Amino acid sequence: MAPDSTLTLTRPDDWHLHLRDGAMLAHVVPLTARTFSRAIVMPNLDTPVTTTYSALAYRERILAALPHGTPFEPLMTLYLTDETTPDEVRRAKDSGQVHGVKYYPAGATTNSAFGVSNLKRCWPVLETMQAIGLPLLVHGEVTDPAVDLFDREKVFIDEQLIPLRAAFPALRVVFEHITTESAVQYVRDGARRDLLLAATITAHHLLYNRNALFQGGIRPHYYCRPILKRERHRRALLEAATSGNPRFFLGTDSAPHTRHAKESACGCAGCFTALNAMELYAEAFDSVGAIGRLEGFASFFGADFYGLPRNREKITLIRCNWTVPQELDLGGDTLVPLRAGETMAWKYID
Ligand SMILES: [Zn+2]
């Protein structure tokens, strides 16, 4: 095997992950824990995680779903609503287990119906978060149906993010799963300030543009929110991810839905990448000759932003072709991973 066929790097963390609950949780969490040491767990369950109490209970359910002895640390988040109080976010911070508060504009994605209708209502909460150093994690899309779906991230920056950051200049913000060159530019240009603003980038947004949705017919497993964009946006994301700028780090946004919920007349949004996440990222970085920059993006910058220690253990990927399974069994239903039935060029070795 040629020397460049093996890649050893510090064990990565996933800074944006959906684990769901119950039977689905039990099926998907081992896949993430196999590769990643920690993950920021999104709070958009059917009943959203809006209190510290429910976040800690959810954390226990995640730990209980892990195979015995798996050293995986779920990093919990709260779901911001119009009713969230300053006391609640203080309690969250004091728990030591809650690492951010997620802002979903009402209706932006899966289970976001409880989201914030008007951010101004949350100003006392944001003020507290700024004071105690608890990051706000934003789903950066406006939900106004009059705004074209492909423009919603750009409009969100102009209408919400810029005023928000002007009002709370010391609030730590993660612009989640960015998809456009506007977002790349906004985060990069904010980099002159202290490390207060960062962005996560998914593997699928690094590898695919919106053509993937329509290749030979409609392809529901490539449908996610924010939706895939034009090729020039994908290129801007890839450039940002591989630039070595610590404001950009890994967040898979892996989001499991059953096959029948995806392959339907009104299919759910979300790509399931927990099965092959690091292999997908390796392929993206490799495509521009930047595999050497993967470790910072996947293993260092997120931990630095969240003020957590970097992992010390190592993992190995090898360059080797393998075929992604067509589906994963959920016991009665199935889950289709991204790239199902297709070939991968890198393989994670346990
Ligand atoms: Zn998400």
Side-chain angles (χ1 to χ4, degrees):
M1 192 181 292
D4 73 335
S5 298
T6 301
L7 178 67
T8 301
L9 70 166
T10 301
R11 186 172 290 283
D13 302 302
D14 186 348
W15 300 100
H16 185 127
L17 177 67
H18 298 270
L19 288 174
R20 314 302 184 204
D21 214 341
M24 183 68 97
L25 167 65
H27 279 101
V28 300
V29 70
L31 298 173
T32 288
R34 179 177 163 244
T35 316
F36 295 96
S37 175
R38 298 170 287 199
I40 286 277
V41 180
M42 289 296 142
N44 60 331
L45 302 181
D46 293 335
T47 303
V49 178
T50 56
T51 64
T52 308
Y53 179 81
S54 57
L56 297 180
Y58 184 29
R59 182 173 179 275
E60 290 306 316
R61 296 198 296 281
I62 296 168
L63 293 173
L66 287 165
H68 186 70
T70 308
F72 175 74
E73 195 185 342
L75 308 170
M76 308 313 293
T77 58
L78 292 191
Y79 188 117
L80 185 66
T81 73
D82 292 348
E83 274 78 49
T84 307
T85 63
D87 275 353
E88 193 58 60
V89 295
R90 246 182 247 115
R91 222 175 352 257
K93 173 79 174 175
D94 290 346
S95 76
Q97 306 292 353
V98 177
H99 296 266
V101 176
K102 180 73 188 284
Y103 165 42
Y104 290 101
T109 187
T110 305
N111 296 339
S112 64
F114 300 89
V116 172
S117 60
N118 180 347
L119 200 52
K120 286 243 159 87
R121 291 198 193 168
C122 299
W123 278 34
V125 169
L126 297 174
E127 217 150 60
T128 306
M129 289 169 59
Q130 175 174 254
I132 63 180
L134 191 62
L136 181 71
L137 320 181
V138 302
H139 181 113
E141 287 189 295
V142 293
T143 53
D144 179 355
V147 178
D148 189 282
L149 183 68
F150 291 89
D151 298 333
R152 289 181 187 179
E153 188 170 277
K154 163 97 178 86
V155 175
F156 178 86
I157 296 170
D158 297 336
E159 289 185 358
Q160 295 205 32
L161 196 51
I162 291 173
L164 170 77
R165 296 194 62 244
F168 301 99
L171 180 65
R172 303 162 62 69
V173 174
V174 183
F175 194 166
E176 298 290 346
H177 43 52
I178 59 169
T179 61
T180 58
E181 60 183 2
S182 308
V184 165
Q185 229 165 52
Y186 180 74
V187 173
R188 199 182 43 211
D189 294 349
R192 282 188 296 274
R193 303 165 64 167
D194 293 339
L195 190 56
L196 290 171
L197 174 67
T200 52
I201 306 181
T202 77
H204 45 286
H205 288 97
L206 292 177
L207 288 168
Y208 297 103
N209 64 36
R210 64 192 194 177
N211 286 348
L213 284 159
F214 308 108
Q215 190 119 24
I218 192 142
R219 304 277 295 261
H221 299 288
Y222 290 85
Y223 172 59
C224 61
R225 298 290 287 274
I227 200 159
L228 295 171
K229 304 294 194 302
R230 285 178 180 279
E231 175 63 6
R232 75 181 153 89
H233 297 295
R234 186 191 72 84
R235 286 183 177 279
L237 294 169
L238 191 54
E239 204 183 304
T242 59
S243 67
N245 183 331
R247 271 78 187 176
F248 300 103
F249 49 79
L250 183 154
T252 63
D253 198 16
S254 179
H257 292 282
T258 59
R259 179 190 279 278
H260 83 265
K262 291 287 291 175
E263 298 176 7
S264 133
C266 185
C268 292
C271 296
F272 184 69
T273 54
L275 178 74
N276 48 354
M278 280 310 291
E279 291 98 326
L280 291 165
Y281 280 109
E283 185 179 314
F285 275 63
D286 206 15
S287 74
V288 289
I291 199 84
R293 293 258 168 92
L294 182 59
E295 187 176 39
F297 176 83
S299 313
F300 297 156
F301 303 153
D304 296 350
F305 179 87
Y306 279 94
L308 294 167
R310 292 178 175 184
N311 297 321
R312 273 189 290 211
E313 213 183 314
K314 302 283 181 192
I315 65 160
T316 302
L317 298 169
I318 58 168
R319 204 190 289 272
C320 146
N321 286 347
W322 61 286
T323 304
V324 178
Q326 290 286 359
E327 58 185 24
L328 307 177
D329 183 30
L330 296 178
D333 215 324
T334 58
L335 175 58
V336 179
L338 196 77
R339 253 329 155 68
E342 295 177 51
T343 305
M344 298 291 303
W346 287 87
K347 191 165 178 37
Y348 169 74
I349 303 296
D350 274 308

